[in-house]
């Protein structure tokens, strides 16, 4: 790493962070116009990016995480850091050799015929070297960077200070982002990446999960040579999935490759289990036979059974255009803040889903994306921290697909893959099919007729509901009236007691007045709260 001195590293990160805080507060106090804010965030993003590349280590990972948080950060800032990748120079071979021999407890020639001393890939956590085993088998050797543990610990301490300051002094809307949860999530992910035994388990998991899927290839691992700092894997040859010129020489079309990529990742996004959270182009290759090769399982995420059920419910609701159910699913998943209005979100979903593929082709997609980012920031919508890596996976694959098949619509590419996935779901598929049938025009007519025939019962129900509400309102009003009269009676008693100099009367009257006044205040508060609830219920 370029900057290893602990104090220098910490001071650079802290000075960057606090200068950003001061600039933001200064602009806020001076009430700068929106155009000035855009320029400021652009400058902040540029400085942020340069500092990350200078210091490397954990900070590159932080930048990569922030680059997909368009729901939290301004577009000008995101634009500056959205292309962050691990551009880290490799370590000295002597330091790497020392780690390998220490981990294996033997000289390198005890296990290998040869190891190339130039790294074929170098990232913020580890770097990869090509080697040949004693039996002539080619392997990839992933080695943890020298001193990375101490650098990460320094960065965690520094980040902890920044998070504490942001949590206490940065004015963000309530419920918008939990800095402590974000820090905890980041720490868990990085600590997982630092332990290569966990990546080994992830590789074994994915090999088992996709063992019957012909279109995907996941390298095998050599467990006997792998440790917490070293991972030895099968060497696989492949074409980078962004190298379209080379892909065009294959027998498999780019259209089919795009569908194979969806086939590999769709189940990871909507089924319970582990998903690949870092499928950038360097980690996704294509074999000569057209198989999708997945590499680097250091960053993975988890989808629970409950979240998978809600994601599948979300798909059902979009198929049937039942946006009320979609809002419920989004709420259960945690994408909506507490003050989100259901009807507003329903209308937005309906408008968004009304776009036709032909319309999207005519639009400026970059401008549309920026507009969507602005809308997300303006609405009571958040991306739950637990889905940050799922979003990273989805957005990365979306970009790859657009590069692979730029003339085709993602919906058209994904539909046959989804239907094939649906066909494998057993009884669950009938729920999806029924939802789709209900969305067809003939069923819309049926629903309209049904609603018309049920109108008398609906009106009667509304009438009864309104009568109950009116009755409850009258009860509150009567209680308030009685308590007000009792308060007046108490004040009269106090006056009479003072006038007649009878202490028992005025003391008793004071107690009655105090009791009835407090009761009146409580009853008024309950009525006001009830009326607010009923107003929201009507509006929702």
């Amino acid at each position: 790493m370029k900057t290893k001195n602990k104090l220098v590293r910490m001071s650079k990160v802290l000075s960057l962070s606090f200068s950003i805080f001061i600039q933001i507060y200064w602009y806020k106090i001076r009430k700068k116009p929106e155009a000035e804010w855009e320029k400021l965030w652009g400058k902040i993003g540029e400085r942020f990016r340069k500092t990350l590349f200078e210091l490397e280590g954990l900070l590159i990972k932080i930048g990569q995480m922030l680059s997909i948080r368009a729901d939290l950060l301004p577009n000008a800032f995101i634009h500056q850091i959205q292309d962050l990748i691990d551009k880290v120079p490799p370590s000295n071979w002597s330091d790497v050799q020392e780690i390998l021999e220490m981990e294996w407890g033997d000289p390198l020639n005890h296990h290998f015929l040869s190891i190339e001393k130039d790294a074929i890939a170098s990232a913020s956590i580890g770097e990869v070297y090509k080697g040949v085993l004693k039996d002539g088998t080619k392997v990839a050797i992933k080695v943890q960077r020298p001193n990375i543990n101490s650098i990460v610990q320094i960065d965690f301490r520094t980040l902890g200070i920044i998070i504490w300051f942001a949590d206490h002094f940065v004015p963000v809307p309530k419920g918008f982002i939990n800095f402590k949860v974000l820090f905890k999530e980041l720490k868990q992910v990085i600590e997982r990446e630092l332990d290569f035994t966990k990546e080994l388990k992830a590789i074994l998991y994915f090999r088992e999960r996709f063992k019957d899927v012909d279109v995907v290839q996941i390298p095998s691992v050599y467990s006997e040579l792998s440790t917490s700092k070293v991972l030895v894997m099968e060497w696989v040859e492949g074409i980078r999935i962004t190298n379209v010129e080379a892909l065009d020489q294959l027998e498999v079309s780019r259209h089919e490759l795009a569908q194979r990529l969806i086939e590999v990742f769709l189940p990871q996004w909507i089924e319970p289990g582990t998903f690949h959270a870092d499928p950038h182009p360097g980690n996704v290759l294509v074999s000569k036979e057209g198989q999708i090769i997945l590499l680097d399982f250091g960053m993975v995420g988890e989808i629970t059974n409950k979240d998978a059920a809600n994601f599948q419910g979300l798909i059902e609701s979009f198929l049937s255009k039942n946006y009320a159910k979609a809002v419920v699913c989004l709420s259960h998943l945690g994408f909506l803040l507490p003050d989100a209005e259901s009807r507003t979100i329903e209308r937005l979903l309906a408008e968004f889903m009304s776009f036709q593929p032909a319309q999207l082709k005519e639009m400026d997609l970059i401008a549309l994306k920026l507009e969507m980012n602005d809308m997300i920031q303006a609405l009571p919508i958040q991306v739950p921290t637990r889905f940050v890596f799922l979003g990273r996976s989805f957005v990365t694959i979306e970009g790859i697909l657009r590069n692979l098949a730029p003339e085709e619509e993602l919906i058209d590419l994904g539909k046959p893959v989804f239907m094939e996935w649906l066909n494998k779901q057993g009884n669950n598929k009938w729920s999806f099919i029924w939802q789709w049938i209900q969305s067809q025009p003939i069923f819309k007519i049926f629903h309209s007729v049904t609603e018309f025939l049920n109108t008398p019962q609906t009106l009667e129900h509304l009438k009864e509901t309104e009568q109950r509400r009116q009755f409850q309102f009258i009860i509150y009003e009567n209680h308030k009236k009685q308590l007000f009269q009792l308060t007046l009676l108490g004040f009269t008693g106090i006056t009479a007691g003072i006038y007649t100099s009878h202490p028992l009367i005025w003391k008793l009257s004071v107690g009655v007045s105090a009791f009835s006044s407090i009761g009146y205040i409580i009853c008024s508060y309950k009525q006001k709260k009830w009326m607010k609830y009923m107003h929201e219920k009507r509006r929702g």
Side-chain angles (χ1 to χ4, degrees), residues 255-277:
H255 171 91
E256 192 172 348
L257 284 175
Q259 289 192 322
R260 288 183 179 185
L261 194 62
I262 296 171
E263 184 181 346
V264 171
F265 278 90
L266 180 67
Q268 296 182 49
W269 295 332
I270 60 177
E271 291 179 6
T274 305
F275 63 89
H276 195 306

PDB file of all heavy atoms in Angstrom, residues 255-277:
ATOM      1  N   HIS A 255     -26.961 -12.754 -27.850  1.00  0.00           N
ATOM      2  CA  HIS A 255     -28.325 -12.848 -27.304  1.00  0.00           C
ATOM      3  C   HIS A 255     -28.437 -14.049 -26.364  1.00  0.00           C
ATOM      4  O   HIS A 255     -28.968 -13.937 -25.245  1.00  0.00           O
ATOM      5  CB  HIS A 255     -29.325 -12.986 -28.457  1.00  0.00           C
ATOM      6  CG  HIS A 255     -30.727 -13.294 -28.015  1.00  0.00           C
ATOM      7  ND1 HIS A 255     -31.646 -12.308 -27.751  1.00  0.00           N
ATOM      8  CD2 HIS A 255     -31.352 -14.489 -27.768  1.00  0.00           C
ATOM      9  CE1 HIS A 255     -32.784 -12.881 -27.367  1.00  0.00           C
ATOM     10  NE2 HIS A 255     -32.634 -14.195 -27.374  1.00  0.00           N
ATOM     11  N   GLU A 256     -27.918 -15.188 -26.805  1.00  0.00           N
ATOM     12  CA  GLU A 256     -27.993 -16.400 -25.982  1.00  0.00           C
ATOM     13  C   GLU A 256     -27.108 -16.275 -24.743  1.00  0.00           C
ATOM     14  O   GLU A 256     -27.473 -16.734 -23.663  1.00  0.00           O
ATOM     15  CB  GLU A 256     -27.574 -17.625 -26.804  1.00  0.00           C
ATOM     16  CG  GLU A 256     -27.897 -18.944 -26.105  1.00  0.00           C
ATOM     17  CD  GLU A 256     -27.659 -20.154 -26.988  1.00  0.00           C
ATOM     18  OE1 GLU A 256     -27.467 -19.972 -28.220  1.00  0.00           O
ATOM     19  OE2 GLU A 256     -27.664 -21.273 -26.455  1.00  0.00           O
ATOM     20  N   LEU A 257     -25.953 -15.625 -24.884  1.00  0.00           N
ATOM     21  CA  LEU A 257     -25.078 -15.408 -23.725  1.00  0.00           C
ATOM     22  C   LEU A 257     -25.767 -14.536 -22.680  1.00  0.00           C
ATOM     23  O   LEU A 257     -25.669 -14.793 -21.473  1.00  0.00           O
ATOM     24  CB  LEU A 257     -23.770 -14.749 -24.170  1.00  0.00           C
ATOM     25  CG  LEU A 257     -22.745 -15.633 -24.874  1.00  0.00           C
ATOM     26  CD1 LEU A 257     -21.563 -14.783 -25.353  1.00  0.00           C
ATOM     27  CD2 LEU A 257     -22.251 -16.750 -23.956  1.00  0.00           C
ATOM     28  N   ALA A 258     -26.480 -13.510 -23.161  1.00  0.00           N
ATOM     29  CA  ALA A 258     -27.216 -12.633 -22.246  1.00  0.00           C
ATOM     30  C   ALA A 258     -28.275 -13.424 -21.479  1.00  0.00           C
ATOM     31  O   ALA A 258     -28.438 -13.263 -20.264  1.00  0.00           O
ATOM     32  CB  ALA A 258     -27.858 -11.488 -23.022  1.00  0.00           C
ATOM     33  N   GLN A 259     -28.979 -14.318 -22.191  1.00  0.00           N
ATOM     34  CA  GLN A 259     -30.002 -15.124 -21.522  1.00  0.00           C
ATOM     35  C   GLN A 259     -29.377 -16.119 -20.544  1.00  0.00           C
ATOM     36  O   GLN A 259     -29.934 -16.398 -19.480  1.00  0.00           O
ATOM     37  CB  GLN A 259     -30.849 -15.851 -22.560  1.00  0.00           C
ATOM     38  CG  GLN A 259     -31.767 -14.911 -23.342  1.00  0.00           C
ATOM     39  CD  GLN A 259     -32.807 -15.646 -24.150  1.00  0.00           C
ATOM     40  OE1 GLN A 259     -32.529 -16.702 -24.714  1.00  0.00           O
ATOM     41  NE2 GLN A 259     -34.008 -15.089 -24.225  1.00  0.00           N
ATOM     42  N   ARG A 260     -28.201 -16.637 -20.889  1.00  0.00           N
ATOM     43  CA  ARG A 260     -27.513 -17.548 -19.974  1.00  0.00           C
ATOM     44  C   ARG A 260     -27.080 -16.821 -18.705  1.00  0.00           C
ATOM     45  O   ARG A 260     -27.143 -17.383 -17.604  1.00  0.00           O
ATOM     46  CB  ARG A 260     -26.295 -18.171 -20.673  1.00  0.00           C
ATOM     47  CG  ARG A 260     -26.666 -19.185 -21.724  1.00  0.00           C
ATOM     48  CD  ARG A 260     -25.446 -19.837 -22.365  1.00  0.00           C
ATOM     49  NE  ARG A 260     -25.844 -20.837 -23.358  1.00  0.00           N
ATOM     50  CZ  ARG A 260     -25.005 -21.631 -23.996  1.00  0.00           C
ATOM     51  NH1 ARG A 260     -23.689 -21.527 -23.776  1.00  0.00           N
ATOM     52  NH2 ARG A 260     -25.450 -22.527 -24.886  1.00  0.00           N
ATOM     53  N   LEU A 261     -26.673 -15.578 -18.871  1.00  0.00           N
ATOM     54  CA  LEU A 261     -26.273 -14.781 -17.709  1.00  0.00           C
ATOM     55  C   LEU A 261     -27.471 -14.556 -16.785  1.00  0.00           C
ATOM     56  O   LEU A 261     -27.358 -14.662 -15.559  1.00  0.00           O
ATOM     57  CB  LEU A 261     -25.707 -13.441 -18.176  1.00  0.00           C
ATOM     58  CG  LEU A 261     -24.939 -12.611 -17.147  1.00  0.00           C
ATOM     59  CD1 LEU A 261     -23.709 -13.351 -16.649  1.00  0.00           C
ATOM     60  CD2 LEU A 261     -24.552 -11.258 -17.724  1.00  0.00           C
ATOM     61  N   ILE A 262     -28.630 -14.272 -17.387  1.00  0.00           N
ATOM     62  CA  ILE A 262     -29.859 -14.103 -16.593  1.00  0.00           C
ATOM     63  C   ILE A 262     -30.224 -15.417 -15.914  1.00  0.00           C
ATOM     64  O   ILE A 262     -30.632 -15.447 -14.744  1.00  0.00           O
ATOM     65  CB  ILE A 262     -31.023 -13.606 -17.480  1.00  0.00           C
ATOM     66  CG1 ILE A 262     -30.713 -12.223 -18.039  1.00  0.00           C
ATOM     67  CG2 ILE A 262     -32.328 -13.563 -16.679  1.00  0.00           C
ATOM     68  CD1 ILE A 262     -31.697 -11.733 -19.081  1.00  0.00           C
ATOM     69  N   GLU A 263     -30.075 -16.521 -16.643  1.00  0.00           N
ATOM     70  CA  GLU A 263     -30.385 -17.840 -16.088  1.00  0.00           C
ATOM     71  C   GLU A 263     -29.535 -18.147 -14.855  1.00  0.00           C
ATOM     72  O   GLU A 263     -30.000 -18.785 -13.913  1.00  0.00           O
ATOM     73  CB  GLU A 263     -30.156 -18.915 -17.156  1.00  0.00           C
ATOM     74  CG  GLU A 263     -30.540 -20.321 -16.720  1.00  0.00           C
ATOM     75  CD  GLU A 263     -30.271 -21.364 -17.796  1.00  0.00           C
ATOM     76  OE1 GLU A 263     -30.039 -20.968 -18.968  1.00  0.00           O
ATOM     77  OE2 GLU A 263     -30.275 -22.558 -17.472  1.00  0.00           O
ATOM     78  N   VAL A 264     -28.290 -17.652 -14.865  1.00  0.00           N
ATOM     79  CA  VAL A 264     -27.391 -17.897 -13.737  1.00  0.00           C
ATOM     80  C   VAL A 264     -27.737 -17.004 -12.546  1.00  0.00           C
ATOM     81  O   VAL A 264     -27.682 -17.442 -11.392  1.00  0.00           O
ATOM     82  CB  VAL A 264     -25.922 -17.669 -14.162  1.00  0.00           C
ATOM     83  CG1 VAL A 264     -24.984 -17.711 -12.953  1.00  0.00           C
ATOM     84  CG2 VAL A 264     -25.500 -18.724 -15.177  1.00  0.00           C
ATOM     85  N   PHE A 265     -28.125 -15.748 -12.803  1.00  0.00           N
ATOM     86  CA  PHE A 265     -28.303 -14.803 -11.700  1.00  0.00           C
ATOM     87  C   PHE A 265     -29.739 -14.638 -11.211  1.00  0.00           C
ATOM     88  O   PHE A 265     -29.955 -14.277 -10.047  1.00  0.00           O
ATOM     89  CB  PHE A 265     -27.726 -13.428 -12.084  1.00  0.00           C
ATOM     90  CG  PHE A 265     -26.244 -13.351 -11.884  1.00  0.00           C
ATOM     91  CD1 PHE A 265     -25.370 -13.701 -12.901  1.00  0.00           C
ATOM     92  CD2 PHE A 265     -25.716 -12.966 -10.662  1.00  0.00           C
ATOM     93  CE1 PHE A 265     -23.999 -13.657 -12.706  1.00  0.00           C
ATOM     94  CE2 PHE A 265     -24.358 -12.919 -10.455  1.00  0.00           C
ATOM     95  CZ  PHE A 265     -23.491 -13.261 -11.476  1.00  0.00           C
ATOM     96  N   LEU A 266     -30.742 -14.888 -12.064  1.00  0.00           N
ATOM     97  CA  LEU A 266     -32.132 -14.729 -11.627  1.00  0.00           C
ATOM     98  C   LEU A 266     -32.458 -15.552 -10.377  1.00  0.00           C
ATOM     99  O   LEU A 266     -33.011 -15.011  -9.414  1.00  0.00           O
ATOM    100  CB  LEU A 266     -33.085 -15.073 -12.780  1.00  0.00           C
ATOM    101  CG  LEU A 266     -34.573 -14.952 -12.439  1.00  0.00           C
ATOM    102  CD1 LEU A 266     -34.950 -13.503 -12.191  1.00  0.00           C
ATOM    103  CD2 LEU A 266     -35.435 -15.536 -13.556  1.00  0.00           C
ATOM    104  N   PRO A 267     -32.113 -16.857 -10.336  1.00  0.00           N
ATOM    105  CA  PRO A 267     -32.413 -17.626  -9.118  1.00  0.00           C
ATOM    106  C   PRO A 267     -31.688 -17.082  -7.887  1.00  0.00           C
ATOM    107  O   PRO A 267     -32.216 -17.175  -6.770  1.00  0.00           O
ATOM    108  CB  PRO A 267     -31.917 -19.044  -9.460  1.00  0.00           C
ATOM    109  CG  PRO A 267     -31.819 -19.083 -10.947  1.00  0.00           C
ATOM    110  CD  PRO A 267     -31.474 -17.700 -11.369  1.00  0.00           C
ATOM    111  N   GLN A 268     -30.507 -16.524  -8.090  1.00  0.00           N
ATOM    112  CA  GLN A 268     -29.766 -15.980  -6.952  1.00  0.00           C
ATOM    113  C   GLN A 268     -30.483 -14.780  -6.345  1.00  0.00           C
ATOM    114  O   GLN A 268     -30.380 -14.527  -5.144  1.00  0.00           O
ATOM    115  CB  GLN A 268     -28.365 -15.544  -7.396  1.00  0.00           C
ATOM    116  CG  GLN A 268     -27.472 -16.671  -7.887  1.00  0.00           C
ATOM    117  CD  GLN A 268     -26.093 -16.159  -8.257  1.00  0.00           C
ATOM    118  OE1 GLN A 268     -25.464 -15.429  -7.505  1.00  0.00           O
ATOM    119  NE2 GLN A 268     -25.614 -16.538  -9.441  1.00  0.00           N
ATOM    120  N   TRP A 269     -31.223 -14.018  -7.175  1.00  0.00           N
ATOM    121  CA  TRP A 269     -31.883 -12.806  -6.708  1.00  0.00           C
ATOM    122  C   TRP A 269     -33.243 -13.048  -6.080  1.00  0.00           C
ATOM    123  O   TRP A 269     -33.685 -12.236  -5.263  1.00  0.00           O
ATOM    124  CB  TRP A 269     -32.054 -11.826  -7.875  1.00  0.00           C
ATOM    125  CG  TRP A 269     -30.775 -11.316  -8.448  1.00  0.00           C
ATOM    126  CD1 TRP A 269     -29.569 -11.176  -7.793  1.00  0.00           C
ATOM    127  CD2 TRP A 269     -30.553 -10.863  -9.781  1.00  0.00           C
ATOM    128  NE1 TRP A 269     -28.625 -10.674  -8.644  1.00  0.00           N
ATOM    129  CE2 TRP A 269     -29.194 -10.467  -9.885  1.00  0.00           C
ATOM    130  CE3 TRP A 269     -31.355 -10.744 -10.912  1.00  0.00           C
ATOM    131  CZ2 TRP A 269     -28.640  -9.970 -11.048  1.00  0.00           C
ATOM    132  CZ3 TRP A 269     -30.797 -10.264 -12.076  1.00  0.00           C
ATOM    133  CH2 TRP A 269     -29.464  -9.875 -12.146  1.00  0.00           C
ATOM    134  N   ILE A 270     -33.923 -14.122  -6.465  1.00  0.00           N
ATOM    135  CA  ILE A 270     -35.307 -14.298  -5.986  1.00  0.00           C
ATOM    136  C   ILE A 270     -35.536 -15.590  -5.210  1.00  0.00           C
ATOM    137  O   ILE A 270     -36.657 -15.852  -4.779  1.00  0.00           O
ATOM    138  CB  ILE A 270     -36.318 -14.202  -7.155  1.00  0.00           C
ATOM    139  CG1 ILE A 270     -36.053 -15.276  -8.216  1.00  0.00           C
ATOM    140  CG2 ILE A 270     -36.300 -12.832  -7.774  1.00  0.00           C
ATOM    141  CD1 ILE A 270     -37.066 -15.258  -9.354  1.00  0.00           C
ATOM    142  N   GLU A 271     -34.499 -16.400  -5.028  1.00  0.00           N
ATOM    143  CA  GLU A 271     -34.627 -17.613  -4.223  1.00  0.00           C
ATOM    144  C   GLU A 271     -33.841 -17.444  -2.933  1.00  0.00           C
ATOM    145  O   GLU A 271     -32.857 -16.709  -2.883  1.00  0.00           O
ATOM    146  CB  GLU A 271     -34.083 -18.824  -4.992  1.00  0.00           C
ATOM    147  CG  GLU A 271     -34.926 -19.241  -6.182  1.00  0.00           C
ATOM    148  CD  GLU A 271     -34.314 -20.432  -6.921  1.00  0.00           C
ATOM    149  OE1 GLU A 271     -33.304 -20.985  -6.429  1.00  0.00           O
ATOM    150  OE2 GLU A 271     -34.837 -20.795  -7.984  1.00  0.00           O
ATOM    151  N   PRO A 272     -34.269 -18.134  -1.855  1.00  0.00           N
ATOM    152  CA  PRO A 272     -33.501 -18.059  -0.608  1.00  0.00           C
ATOM    153  C   PRO A 272     -32.111 -18.651  -0.808  1.00  0.00           C
ATOM    154  O   PRO A 272     -31.931 -19.611  -1.547  1.00  0.00           O
ATOM    155  CB  PRO A 272     -34.318 -18.927   0.368  1.00  0.00           C
ATOM    156  CG  PRO A 272     -35.635 -19.156  -0.277  1.00  0.00           C
ATOM    157  CD  PRO A 272     -35.440 -19.020  -1.748  1.00  0.00           C
ATOM    158  N   GLY A 273     -31.123 -18.053  -0.167  1.00  0.00           N
ATOM    159  CA  GLY A 273     -29.772 -18.584  -0.269  1.00  0.00           C
ATOM    160  C   GLY A 273     -28.744 -17.496  -0.500  1.00  0.00           C
ATOM    161  O   GLY A 273     -29.002 -16.302  -0.288  1.00  0.00           O
ATOM    162  N   THR A 274     -27.569 -17.886  -0.948  1.00  0.00           N
ATOM    163  CA  THR A 274     -26.443 -16.980  -1.144  1.00  0.00           C
ATOM    164  C   THR A 274     -26.364 -16.527  -2.602  1.00  0.00           C
ATOM    165  O   THR A 274     -26.638 -17.302  -3.498  1.00  0.00           O
ATOM    166  CB  THR A 274     -25.127 -17.693  -0.747  1.00  0.00           C
ATOM    167  OG1 THR A 274     -25.251 -18.171   0.596  1.00  0.00           O
ATOM    168  CG2 THR A 274     -23.941 -16.757  -0.812  1.00  0.00           C
ATOM    169  N   PHE A 275     -25.999 -15.257  -2.809  1.00  0.00           N
ATOM    170  CA  PHE A 275     -25.835 -14.748  -4.177  1.00  0.00           C
ATOM    171  C   PHE A 275     -24.467 -14.087  -4.319  1.00  0.00           C
ATOM    172  O   PHE A 275     -23.872 -13.610  -3.351  1.00  0.00           O
ATOM    173  CB  PHE A 275     -26.944 -13.764  -4.549  1.00  0.00           C
ATOM    174  CG  PHE A 275     -26.975 -12.510  -3.707  1.00  0.00           C
ATOM    175  CD1 PHE A 275     -26.233 -11.387  -4.058  1.00  0.00           C
ATOM    176  CD2 PHE A 275     -27.760 -12.440  -2.564  1.00  0.00           C
ATOM    177  CE1 PHE A 275     -26.247 -10.241  -3.288  1.00  0.00           C
ATOM    178  CE2 PHE A 275     -27.786 -11.291  -1.776  1.00  0.00           C
ATOM    179  CZ  PHE A 275     -27.031 -10.189  -2.141  1.00  0.00           C
ATOM    180  N   HIS A 276     -23.962 -14.078  -5.554  1.00  0.00           N
ATOM    181  CA  HIS A 276     -22.685 -13.434  -5.887  1.00  0.00           C
ATOM    182  C   HIS A 276     -22.914 -11.926  -5.886  1.00  0.00           C
ATOM    183  O   HIS A 276     -23.706 -11.414  -6.662  1.00  0.00           O
ATOM    184  CB  HIS A 276     -22.218 -13.903  -7.264  1.00  0.00           C
ATOM    185  CG  HIS A 276     -20.779 -13.603  -7.565  1.00  0.00           C
ATOM    186  ND1 HIS A 276     -20.242 -12.342  -7.461  1.00  0.00           N
ATOM    187  CD2 HIS A 276     -19.759 -14.407  -7.972  1.00  0.00           C
ATOM    188  CE1 HIS A 276     -18.961 -12.374  -7.790  1.00  0.00           C
ATOM    189  NE2 HIS A 276     -18.638 -13.613  -8.108  1.00  0.00           N
ATOM    190  N   ALA A 277     -22.206 -11.197  -4.996  1.00  0.00           N
ATOM    191  CA  ALA A 277     -22.465  -9.766  -4.828  1.00  0.00           C
ATOM    192  C   ALA A 277     -21.503  -8.877  -5.601  1.00  0.00           C
ATOM    193  O   ALA A 277     -21.654  -7.658  -5.579  1.00  0.00           O
ATOM    194  CB  ALA A 277     -22.404  -9.408  -3.341  1.00  0.00           C
TER     195      ALA A 277
END
